[in-house]
Amino acid sequence: MPDSRPGPRPPSRPLLQRLRDDHAPALLAFERENRAYFAASVPDRGDLYFARFGERHAELLAEQAAGLHHFHVLAGGGGEVLGRVNLVDVADGSAELGYRMAERAAGRGLATAAVAEICALAAAEYALSSLRAVTTLDNAGSRAVLARTGFTPAGEIELDGRPGLRFVRTL
């Protein structure tokens, strides 16, 4: 007789959520768990970032409330943070995009989906007309995400002593 019990539930789709105060524990865990992974491609945040995480989280929320930035987390089905997607330095209808995904979430298309979603939010919710982004030349994954989501190269730069590219996207 066939088994009529339901099979395992498919994992729920990660959700992009505006940063809130209650994200702090999961966000700190995300940053700690991925510190070495992130440091391989971007400058390390340093020990002080982790020691004063609560203070910095409160500062970010205040800056967000003032309209200076729009911070987001990509939350998994269990409330864990799989990534961050931020729009910083909001001014004159533009902002700079920044994002980072957990090592365990890399290569699954989550960064591309999250960046595409933040681009839509930037236009519809935040009334932005353009976004900027930067990455190093050796960060092929980040360059691919930007290309897949409509960003175009806009010039060479140096990021922490490494060659990089500026990107722009009109919304």
Side-chain angles (χ1 to χ4, degrees):
M1 175 143 100
D3 186 354
S4 61
R5 292 177 294 181
R9 299 175 80 188
S12 60
R13 178 178 149 318
L15 297 174
L16 194 63
Q17 301 174 349
R18 190 161 169 88
L19 185 64
R20 303 183 311 254
D21 187 52
D22 64 325
H23 285 130
L27 187 56
L28 179 56
F30 163 82
E31 292 290 350
R32 282 186 174 145
E33 289 164 10
N34 293 283
R35 185 175 183 179
Y37 175 67
F38 295 147
S41 59
V42 295
D44 184 63
R45 294 188 186 277
D47 293 337
L48 191 57
Y49 172 85
F50 295 95
R52 298 186 58 210
F53 183 84
E55 287 175 51
R56 183 65 184 135
H57 189 70
E59 290 169 1
L60 294 178
L61 290 172
E63 292 169 0
Q64 178 170 264
L68 302 174
H69 314 292
H70 302 290
F71 301 111
H72 302 81
V73 295
L74 185 64
E80 72 281 11
V81 173
L82 299 173
R84 300 181 79 160
V85 185
N86 302 319
L87 300 172
V88 299
D89 299 332
V90 176
D92 301 321
S94 183
E96 183 165 325
L97 167 72
Y99 56 93
R100 54 178 55 196
M101 295 293 140
E103 183 173 19
R104 67 187 172 121
R108 297 177 24 202
L110 295 177
T112 299
V115 169
E117 188 173 345
I118 204 70
C119 289
L121 274 173
E125 298 291 324
Y126 307 136
L128 298 177
S129 57
S130 67
L131 296 177
R132 305 172 309 280
V134 297
T135 190
T136 55
L137 289 179
D138 62 355
N139 192 337
S142 187
R143 288 192 341 264
V145 166
L146 293 171
R148 284 192 296 263
T149 55
F151 283 81
T152 57
E156 296 178 3
I157 59 166
E158 189 174 297
L159 290 169
D160 297 308
R162 296 163 58 192
L165 289 173
R166 284 183 288 121
F167 290 83
V168 295
R169 177 177 169 178
T170 301
L171 303 173

